[in-house]
């Protein structure tokens, strides 16, 4: 009876990378880390090396550049993963630049083999392998000789029983013809894309034999802590944010914390729903979101807020101050430049797990779009769809705000056309009554549930939002002279005669 060979997967020590690889790097695999200059190949390789290297799993790092290893140490030791004690205990650096200058690929191969035999490593890195190829071209070595050299090197690496890495700069066109891409067990492709004034780094697992990797391009960042990968959220088959199967009948509901609003929603907001609160500037969207979080705390439910229009210090000046200081509401830092939705989602999930939160506020989608790097804002609707699907799939109840210009004659629910993402929508508007602006709100939809069709006056006081009476008649709604179109507009805001969404 044949038994399947179990391949051990090595944890890379790079946050988020193991998820892309399908659990880690296969032991004894032959891997290529390729990409454009400055994309972070060496930093990624050394972060993996320092994480995996131990006295029982030693690493051998070959450099083929002219610069000494001390220069590399000077910069790499700025990262916390760099452990100087491992240099003498479990990591050895060997510079091959002199051997390469001789122009004899056989001598280079012999030197590598001798060092490996002498040191007995479990991990072998060659940086940059591209330099070997360039040197071969300069010295007139043909393609057959170079391919033979690569094949011999790969065969030796397999016999060493080591997990090996070749690091090099390649263009997309070169990858189609280079023999090393054919024989590699795993290929990581790194790139950095400039879009106007923004620079975004992305990673793709092109190939990983024997295991299912996560497809597509994924954002990563090189910070003071090193490389961190933010896997792209993928909506599983059968997961639909706007599924008509979703219904609130008989399900648990959460209170909004505003007297009268739960009644308008049909008994509260169903657990696990996403609510979009839209309205013009100053209409009270953030205050409503604050009451939503505060009510959760009163009921023993912690929350998280990602505030894109206010800094954390500004946020602490309002009602949330005591809740945040008490550790009952977590605040996501959204002040970083060139955000991606996947990075924001990663930070949200980390905070949700830390706080064991059940309520999430995104304030606002308008500010969120402005905080994104231009490359991500171009696909804002698609990325936001994946983000909301991921959060609601975790059982989170979400409140999103969005600023919307009040044009009076043009009813919209979102400047991005993303109202379809929401299971429920509340619209806030200004009206003019007897020469004064008044605030009104209406529940436009609650998916699968009855809800109020009334337009209600509301006011903002020291006690929060106070919902007033239902508008009776339409005198003064727009400019003191209501028309038939005004009445039709009101019917549209309340959903007309439809009791169900």
């Amino acid at each position: 009876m044949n038994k399947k060979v179990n391949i051990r997967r090595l944890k890379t020590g790079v946050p988020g990378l193991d998820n892309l690889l399908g659990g880690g790097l296969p032991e004894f695999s032959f891997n290529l880390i390729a990409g454009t200059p400055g994309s972070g190949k060496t930093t990624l390789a050394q972060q993996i090396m320092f994480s995996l290297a131990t006295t029982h799993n030693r690493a051998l790092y070959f450099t083929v550049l002219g610069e000494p290893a001390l220069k590399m140490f000077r910069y790499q030791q700025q990262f916390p993963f760099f452990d100087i004690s491992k240099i003498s205990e479990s990591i050895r650096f060997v510079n091959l630049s002199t051997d390469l200058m001789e122009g004899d690929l056989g001598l280079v191969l012999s030197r590598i083999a001798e060092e490996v035999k002498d040191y007995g490593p479990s991990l072998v890195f060659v940086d940059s392998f591209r330099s070997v190829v360039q040197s071969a071209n300069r010295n007139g070595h043909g393609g057959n000789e170079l391919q033979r050299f690569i094949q011999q090197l790969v065969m030796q690496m397999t016999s060493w029983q080591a997990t090996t890495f070749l690091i090099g700069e390649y263009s997309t066109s070169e990858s189609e013809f280079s023999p090393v891409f054919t024989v590699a067990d795993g290929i990581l492709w790194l790139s950095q894309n400039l879009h106007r004034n923004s620079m975004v780094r992305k990673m793709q697992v092109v190939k990983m034999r024997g295991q299912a990797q996560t497809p597509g391009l994924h954002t990563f960042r090189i910070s003071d802590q090193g490389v961190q990968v933010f896997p792209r959220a993928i909506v599983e088959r059968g997961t639909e944010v706007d599924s008509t199967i979703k219904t609130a009948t008989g399900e648990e509901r959460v209170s909004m914390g505003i007297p009268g609003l739960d009644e308008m929603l049909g008994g509260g907001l169903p657990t696990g729903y996403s609510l979009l609160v839209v309205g013009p500037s100053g209409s009270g969207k953030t205050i409503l979101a604050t009451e939503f979080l505060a009510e959760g705390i009163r009921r023993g439910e912690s929350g998280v807020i990602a505030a894109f229009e206010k800094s954390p210090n500004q946020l602490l000046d309002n009602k949330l101050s005591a809740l945040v200081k008490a550790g009952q509401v977590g605040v996501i830092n959204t002040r970083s430049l060139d955000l991606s939705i996947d990075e924001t989602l990663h930070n949200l999930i980390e905070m949700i797990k830390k706080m064991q939160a059940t309520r999430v506020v995104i304030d606002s989608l308008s500010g969120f779009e402005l905080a994104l790097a231009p490359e991500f804002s171009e696909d804002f609707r698609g990325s936001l769809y994946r983000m909301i699907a991921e959060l609601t799939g975790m059982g989170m109840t979400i409140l999103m705000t969005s600023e919307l210009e009040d044009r009076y004659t043009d009813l919209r629910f979102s400047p991005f056309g993303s109202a379809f993402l929401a299971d429920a929508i509340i619209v806030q508007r200004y009206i003019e009554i007897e020469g004064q602006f008044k605030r009104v709100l209406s529940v436009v939809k609650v998916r699968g549930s009855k809800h109020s069709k009334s337009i209600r006056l509301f006011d903002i006081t020291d006690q929060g939002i106070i919902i007033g009476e239902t508008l009776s008649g339409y005198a003064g709604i727009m400019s003191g002279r209501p028309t038939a179109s005004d009445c039709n507009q009101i019917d549209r805001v309340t959903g007309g005669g439809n009791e169900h969404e």
Side-chain angles (χ1 to χ4, degrees):
M1 179 178 179
N2 293 329
K3 292 185 178 180
K4 183 175 67 174
V5 176
N6 292 321
I7 300 177
R8 189 163 71 102
R9 298 177 182 177
L10 307 177
K11 301 301 181 181
T12 62
V14 179
L17 181 55
D18 292 340
N19 294 339
L20 300 191
L21 299 176
L25 287 164
E27 189 177 28
F28 307 140
S29 59
F30 171 61
N31 304 282
L32 177 65
I33 300 177
T36 55
S39 57
K41 301 181 297 299
T42 296
T43 300
L44 176 65
Q46 295 209 11
Q47 189 167 342
I48 293 173
M49 179 179 67
F50 276 96
S51 174
L52 292 175
T54 65
T55 52
H56 300 291
N57 295 283
R58 297 189 295 182
L60 191 58
Y61 198 100
F62 292 100
T63 62
V64 293
L65 303 176
E67 61 184 22
L70 287 176
K71 184 177 181 181
M72 183 184 299
F73 294 163
R74 179 185 180 189
Y75 294 102
Q76 293 299 318
Q77 69 182 348
Q78 305 302 314
F79 296 112
F81 63 75
F82 189 95
D83 186 350
I84 192 67
S85 64
K86 288 189 174 184
I87 300 301
S88 57
E89 295 179 355
S90 55
I91 296 175
R92 175 185 291 180
F93 284 85
V94 177
N95 194 306
L96 295 174
S97 58
T98 302
D99 303 85
L100 195 60
M101 290 177 63
E102 298 294 329
D104 189 337
L105 294 179
L107 291 177
V108 175
L109 189 62
S110 298
R111 175 73 189 283
I112 293 175
E114 290 174 4
E115 294 287 348
V116 169
K117 182 179 179 180
D118 178 62
Y119 196 62
S122 300
L123 304 162
V124 178
F125 297 79
V126 179
D127 184 7
S128 146
F129 185 72
R130 175 69 183 274
S131 298
V132 176
V133 176
Q134 291 176 332
S135 176
N137 292 335
R138 286 194 302 267
N139 288 279
H141 294 287
N144 292 335
E145 184 178 353
L146 180 59
Q147 185 172 357
R148 184 165 55 253
F149 166 78
I150 294 173
Q151 291 173 343
Q152 291 175 346
L153 179 59
V154 172
M155 290 174 59
Q156 289 196 15
M157 287 179 170
T158 304
S159 66
W160 295 331
Q161 292 293 289
T163 306
T164 58
F165 302 83
L166 303 183
I167 301 101
E169 298 173 0
Y170 289 91
S171 65
T172 305
S173 59
E174 288 176 313
S175 65
E176 299 176 357
F177 304 102
S178 176
V180 70
F181 282 81
T182 303
V183 297
D185 300 312
I187 301 174
L188 291 179
W189 189 275
L190 280 59
S191 63
Q192 52 181 357
N193 306 316
L194 291 175
H195 193 102
R196 285 181 276 189
N197 293 326
S198 299
M199 191 275 288
V200 177
R201 299 179 190 271
K202 291 191 175 183
M203 179 184 299
Q204 180 184 9
V205 182
V206 178
K207 179 182 181 182
M208 191 58 58
R209 282 178 175 154
Q211 57 196 53
Q213 66 270 17
T214 304
L217 293 171
H218 306 269
T219 308
F220 74 97
R221 185 182 292 274
I222 301 179
S223 66
D224 292 340
Q225 302 301 308
V227 175
Q228 181 172 9
V229 183
F230 305 101
R232 177 172 168 266
I234 298 177
V235 179
E236 299 293 337
R237 181 175 298 179
T239 301
E240 295 290 343
V241 175
D242 58 337
S243 174
T244 56
I245 299 175
K246 202 168 190 178
T247 175
T249 304
E251 292 187 359
E252 182 181 352
R253 296 180 181 247
V254 300
S255 176
M256 300 297 297
I258 299 172
L261 185 55
D262 289 348
E263 180 183 353
M264 294 181 69
L265 289 167
L269 182 65
T271 301
Y273 268 37
S274 56
L275 168 65
L276 179 62
V277 180
V278 297
S281 177
S283 60
K285 301 182 296 297
T286 300
I287 295 176
L288 191 151
T290 299
E291 296 292 352
F292 170 74
L293 289 174
E295 179 65 16
I297 300 304
R298 285 191 288 269
R299 295 173 178 267
E301 305 168 9
S302 57
V304 172
I305 181 170
F308 293 94
E309 295 188 355
K310 298 179 179 67
S311 68
N313 291 333
Q314 290 173 320
L315 188 65
L316 297 182
D317 290 336
N318 62 29
K319 189 174 181 178
L320 284 177
S321 177
L323 301 178
V324 173
K325 290 180 180 178
Q328 296 171 310
V329 171
V331 181
I332 300 297
N333 181 11
T334 60
R335 312 309 293 180
S336 301
L337 298 175
D338 300 334
L339 281 174
S340 72
I341 283 189
D342 293 319
E343 182 175 354
T344 303
L345 176 60
H346 172 271
N347 293 339
L348 273 172
I349 291 176
E350 288 294 308
M351 183 63 74
I352 286 169
K353 292 179 179 179
K354 176 182 177 181
M355 301 292 300
Q356 296 185 334
T358 59
R359 300 189 181 205
V360 175
V361 167
I362 301 174
D363 185 28
S364 68
L365 296 183
S366 314
F368 190 8
E369 185 185 31
L370 291 175
L372 293 174
E375 181 175 345
F376 299 108
S377 62
E378 290 180 354
D379 186 31
F380 185 65
R381 291 180 72 231
S383 299
L384 187 62
Y385 174 88
R386 293 186 284 106
M387 178 176 179
I388 299 304
E390 184 82 10
L391 292 174
T392 54
M394 294 172 60
M396 296 296 105
T397 305
I398 308 169
L399 188 152
M400 305 171 287
T401 70
S402 180
E403 183 170 337
L404 198 62
E405 179 184 357
D406 197 338
R407 298 179 180 177
Y408 297 104
T409 59
D410 179 18
L411 181 63
R412 296 175 300 150
F413 299 142
S414 170
F416 330 104
S418 56
F420 76 97
L421 295 172
D423 301 307
I425 298 177
I426 293 176
V427 174
Q428 298 176 338
R429 303 193 72 180
Y430 290 115
I431 64 172
E432 183 186 344
I433 299 179
E434 297 179 351
Q436 291 186 343
F437 276 119
K438 299 291 185 180
R439 296 181 177 94
V440 296
L441 64 79
S442 178
V443 177
V444 173
K445 79 171 183 179
V446 180
R447 198 184 305 279
S449 173
K450 291 184 178 181
H451 60 85
S452 170
K453 297 182 294 179
S454 301
I455 299 177
R456 301 281 293 271
L457 287 163
F458 74 95
D459 201 2
I460 299 175
T461 69
D462 292 340
Q463 285 72 44
I465 293 178
I466 306 298
I467 296 180
E469 61 186 8
T470 300
L471 288 176
S472 58
Y474 306 120
I477 287 292
M478 297 300 171
S479 60
R481 296 184 298 276
T483 65
S485 63
D486 294 333
C487 297
N488 291 335
Q489 180 79 346
I490 292 172
D491 287 339
R492 290 167 60 197
V493 171
T494 58
N498 295 327
E499 287 288 340
H500 292 76
E501 186 59 35

